[in-house]
Structure formats: C-alpha cells, structure tokens
Amino acid sequence: MPLSTRLNLPPFLKRLLPTSLFGRSLLIIILPVAVMQIAVTWAFFDAHWQSVTSKLSEGLAGDIAWAVQSYEDDPSPAAVEKLAKRAEDSMSLSIAFQKGRKLPTSRRPSLFAALDRSLQQALDDRLDNPFWFDTTRYTAYIDIRVQVKDGVLQIYALRDRAYATQGHIFILWMVVATMLLTAIAILFIRNQVRAIERLADAADAFGRGEEHDFKPHGAREVRKAARAFLSMKARIVRHIEQRTALLASVSHDLRTPLTRLKLEMAMSEPSEQLEAMKGDLAEMEHMIDEYLAFARGEGGEDARVVDLSELIGGVVADAERGGAAIETEIAPGLEARVRPLAFRRALANLVDNGVAHADQVKVTATARQTGGVEIAVDDDGPGIPEDRYEEAFKPFSRLDESRNQNEKGVGLGLAIARDMARGLGGDLLLSRSAMGGLRALIRLPG
C-alpha cells in the first residue's frame, strides 16, 4: 500500500510525495534529519542565542543609560569630551553630541528582527528619554541616538556588544553537516535502488524473451530476491523447453502416419469420399502446426529492429495471393523491435481472421505520439460482442455465435497474436471497427 494511503494525507500532499523508491527512501532519511535540524536550531536560538543576546543588550543599554545620565548631570562641552573619552576607553562606545538635532522618524527593517526586539526591550527598560537605533547601516557597529536637552546624543557601539555574532557559525556548520549527510545518503540509496532497477530490467527483458546478463548484487534482501528470480527463470525456461520438446515429438510422431495416409490416398482411385478424407487430413496437419506454434511461441527467435512496411507488405501479399482484397495504409519509415517470424505469424492470423469473416479488410500502421507503433486490422464483418473480447483470447475458444467457424482454425490465432505482442512489451486490443466489424490493434513499444 502506498505511503500516502497509509498516512491518509490530503490529496494535495499525496501529489507532492515522490513516486519512485529512490525519492521515497531519500525522503525517509532527509525528512527526519531536517526536522531534527530545525528543532535543534530552534532550541539553540530560543535557549542560547536569544538568552545571550538579551544579556548583552541589557549590558549595552546599561552603559548607554549611564552615558545619558552623565551627560544630563553636566552637559558642558568639557564634560561631554571627558565622557566621550571615558566611554571610548572603558566601554568601546563612540559618543558625540549633535546640538539642535532631532531623532529620525523612520528605521530600515532588519533581517534579524528578533535581535532588534531584544535591544529595543533593553533600551526601553533602561532609558526614560526617547531613542532611535539602526542595526543595518553599518556591518560592525550599531547607531544609537538618544534625545536629550538641546539635541541628540549619538552613540556608536560595536555590534558584538549587543548580539551574539557567532550564532551564524553554528547555523553554517548545521547546513554543511546536513548537506554532507544528504550526499552520503544519496550515494548509498542510489546504489541500492540501482540493484532493484537492474533486477526489474532483467525481469522485463525475460518477459520479452530477451537475454539479459544479470548477476545478484546489492543488499542481502535484494540479492535474495534476485536469486529467487534467477531460479524462477531457470524453472520457466526448463518448462518451456520440455513443453516445446514434447509438442515437437508429438508433431513428429503424428506426421509419420499422416504422411503414410497421404501416400495411400494419392495411390487410391479418385472419389468424393477420398476428397473428403484429404480435407480432413489437411485440417489435421493445420491443427498440428498451430498447436506447435502456440506451444513454441517462437521463443528461440531474437528480437531486432525491422522495417514494418516490408513485413506487413509481405503478409498482405501472401493473403492477396489467396484471393483476398486488402487495403493498406502504412506510414513510411516505420520501424519496431520485433521477432520477424512471430510477428508475421501473428499478423497473418489477424488478417486471415478478417478475410474469413468479412468482405473488406484494412491494415493500418502508424507511429504513436507517446512512442512505439500501432498496427490495426479492421474488417466489416459481424464482429465480436464487447463482453466477449477477453474470451476471444482464450486458447481453443470458438465464438460461433458471432463469427462463423473457420474450418481450419482451432481458436489459437488471437492467443498467438497477443502472446507475441505482450512478449515484446506491447499488447493486442479488440474494439469495434469504424468499418462496422472488428478492430484488432497491436501496440508495440518504441
């Protein structure tokens, strides 16, 4: 069950969740780390940085309050000069009196508003006079101005006297550590996901009948799944080989008496009964060929990229030599990766079905916008009821009510065609044709 379903998340969050194993594994690692980093950073600012900053701001506010009180006790120029020198030597404060000036009416917003609030609170607690300060104009100093009698007392204080300026180093180390751990996690997860992807590629290639050089690797569980897949593959291949050998033996054993019967009938006097026997014999040979083709599935043939116009044209030409009239519409330069013999057999079965049950047959081959190709065989025959499409694909199925029985068929044509298409990673679909009959649509991947 998907992660989003288990957690019963809102639909918009489900759409944001990654769908790949790599993305979800990365999210499982990064999300807790990110939450932990945020929690630690919040705790640091709340419990340490804010506390230290508040203490520093209170200390600076106390020094400024002392300077303002000293000025008000003796505002003479000589006293102001003495005050400025004492503040510079003892408290690293630069003090100047600006006669007749007023406090500014606006202040630029600071990036760290919380720190400005600490200084604001400290000055509010220590000063009775109106004041104004700016923490953004200078990088190393804070500009503080206090309204006094006859003017403004301007004070420049070092920034680290009001703020814990080393807090950003902590944040920097947190970010660097997070990035480093994330990079390591990506490398390890990518290596594990690659093992699963290779297993999926091997299974997909085996499903298409292709050989794929695959060896188990990755985590222990992935290697166990890979070994199970290889064992299953070996069992399936062994079963197919045994079935093919059995059918081939049966076919060979049956052909021997059939050949003798054909020789005996060839030497017999012509008669209506003899002709009927020859028809039965031909049907038996055709049935044996179809049984063997279905069991074998052309599994020993390698898939390769071919020109579909040439292959389809050959199938249509064979049907036309039998007296059928078939319309074709094939896009130029159309190519696909197929097993040529299996493809010819599958398409010939579809064309023969159309010819046997309809007056007009059309073969169309086009490229799909999403990649791959489509080959459609349309006819104007009676068609097949929509609710029996899946039944039509069952081996030995004969839909006598909807389509007349092919005297040589045994109900394997559609089954063989769909096995061919699915073996290449595509599919065979049935639908209603625009011509009024049945449409058999072969979809092949690009």
Side-chain angles (χ1 to χ4, degrees), residues 12 18 60 100 137 207 241-242 252 266 298 323-324 358 361 380 413:
F12 74 94
L60 177 61
R137 180 173 300 178
E241 290 176 348
Q242 290 174 349
H252 179 271
E298 306 294 349
V361 178
D380 62 347

Side-chain angles (χ1 to χ4, degrees), residues 63 150 178 181 188 221 266 287 297 343 389:
D63 292 342
D150 299 329
T178 301
L181 292 175
F188 276 94
E221 292 81 1
M287 292 170 61
F343 178 81
Y389 284 163

Side-chain angles (χ1 to χ4, degrees), residues 192-206:
Q192 298 306 315
V193 171
R194 188 180 293 114
I196 299 176
E197 289 175 345
R198 290 179 180 175
L199 175 58
D201 292 340
D204 185 56
F206 176 63

Side-chain angles (χ1 to χ4, degrees), residues 35 66 75 82 90-91 105 123 164 173 178 184 186 190 205 232 267 352 370 376 379 390 412 419 426 437 439:
V35 172
W66 168 83
K82 183 177 180 182
S90 303
M91 294 173 284
T105 57
L123 292 174
W173 276 109
T178 301
I184 295 174
I186 290 174
R190 182 67 250 176
M232 179 191 68
M267 298 174 63
D352 290 343
T370 56
D379 64 52
E390 192 61 32
L412 291 173
D419 283 350
R439 160 171 278 205

Side-chain angles (χ1 to χ4, degrees), residues 403-418:
R403 295 169 78 94
N404 294 329
Q405 187 175 12
N406 180 1
E407 63 180 16
K408 286 191 175 182
V410 293
L412 291 173
L414 289 176
I416 291 174
R418 187 162 72 166

Side-chain angles (χ1 to χ4, degrees), residues 122-395:
L123 292 174
D124 281 336
D125 293 342
R126 294 300 183 98
L127 294 176
D128 295 328
N129 304 57
F131 63 90
W132 174 93
F133 66 90
D134 185 2
T135 61
T136 62
R137 180 173 300 178
Y138 308 105
T139 57
Y141 294 92
I142 300 174
D143 182 4
I144 303 173
R145 304 180 192 186
V146 182
Q147 189 74 54
V148 294
K149 184 180 180 181
D150 299 329
V152 170
L153 200 64
Q154 185 175 30
I155 304 170
Y156 288 102
L158 292 172
R159 183 178 291 271
D160 58 8
R161 287 216 56 198
Y163 302 146
T165 57
Q166 298 301 314
H168 64 281
I169 300 297
F170 170 79
I171 299 176
L172 178 63
W173 276 109
M174 292 279 285
V175 171
V176 171
T178 301
M179 294 177 63
L180 180 62
L181 292 175
T182 301
I184 295 174
I186 290 174
L187 291 176
F188 276 94
I189 294 174
R190 182 67 250 176
N191 186 51
Q192 298 306 315
V193 171
R194 188 180 293 114
I196 299 176
E197 289 175 345
R198 290 179 180 175
L199 175 58
D201 292 340
D204 185 56
F206 176 63
R208 295 194 303 268
E210 300 175 1
E211 286 297 328
H212 191 278
D213 187 16
F214 172 73
K215 293 181 179 179
H217 69 285
R220 180 177 59 187
E221 292 81 1
V222 178
R223 291 198 304 269
K224 182 178 179 180
R227 286 192 292 267
F229 162 73
L230 291 177
S231 299
M232 179 191 68
K233 177 183 175 182
R235 288 193 297 268
I236 292 175
V237 170
R238 186 164 57 250
H239 170 71
I240 293 174
E241 290 176 348
Q242 290 174 349
R243 188 182 67 169
T244 303
L246 174 62
L247 266 294
S249 299
V250 171
S251 175
H252 179 271
D253 293 342
L254 289 177
R255 286 181 188 278
T256 301
L258 287 176
T259 302
R260 288 199 301 266
L261 287 173
K262 288 173 65 175
L263 288 175
E264 292 176 359
M265 284 188 292
M267 298 174 63
S268 301
E269 293 293 332
S271 65
E272 293 183 2
Q273 185 178 9
L274 183 62
E275 292 302 321
M277 292 172 62
K278 286 182 179 180
D280 292 340
L281 193 62
E283 184 178 352
M284 290 176 64
E285 287 186 313
H286 182 76
M287 292 170 61
I288 292 173
D289 291 338
E290 285 206 9
Y291 290 153
L292 185 59
F294 179 73
R296 184 172 63 247
E298 306 294 349
E301 186 182 7
D302 293 330
R304 56 187 176 89
V305 177
V306 298
D307 184 358
L308 286 182
S309 60
E310 182 178 347
L311 262 180
I312 297 173
V315 173
V316 172
D318 290 343
E320 289 177 338
R321 279 195 294 268
I326 302 173
E327 182 184 353
T328 59
E329 186 178 327
I330 304 173
L334 206 59
E335 293 183 341
R337 186 178 182 83
V338 300
R339 298 184 186 88
L341 294 179
F343 178 81
R344 284 179 62 93
R345 179 186 295 275
L347 185 60
N349 284 337
L350 299 180
V351 172
D352 290 343
N353 282 344
V355 170
H357 303 108
D359 297 326
Q360 296 181 1
V361 178
K362 181 178 179 180
V363 179
T364 307
T366 57
R368 300 176 62 190
Q369 293 183 350
T370 56
V373 297
E374 289 184 344
I375 301 99
V377 179
D378 294 280
D379 64 52
D380 62 347
I384 297 175
E386 186 175 350
D387 59 350
R388 303 193 68 184
Y389 284 163
E390 192 61 32
E391 183 182 349
F393 287 115
K394 295 180 180 179

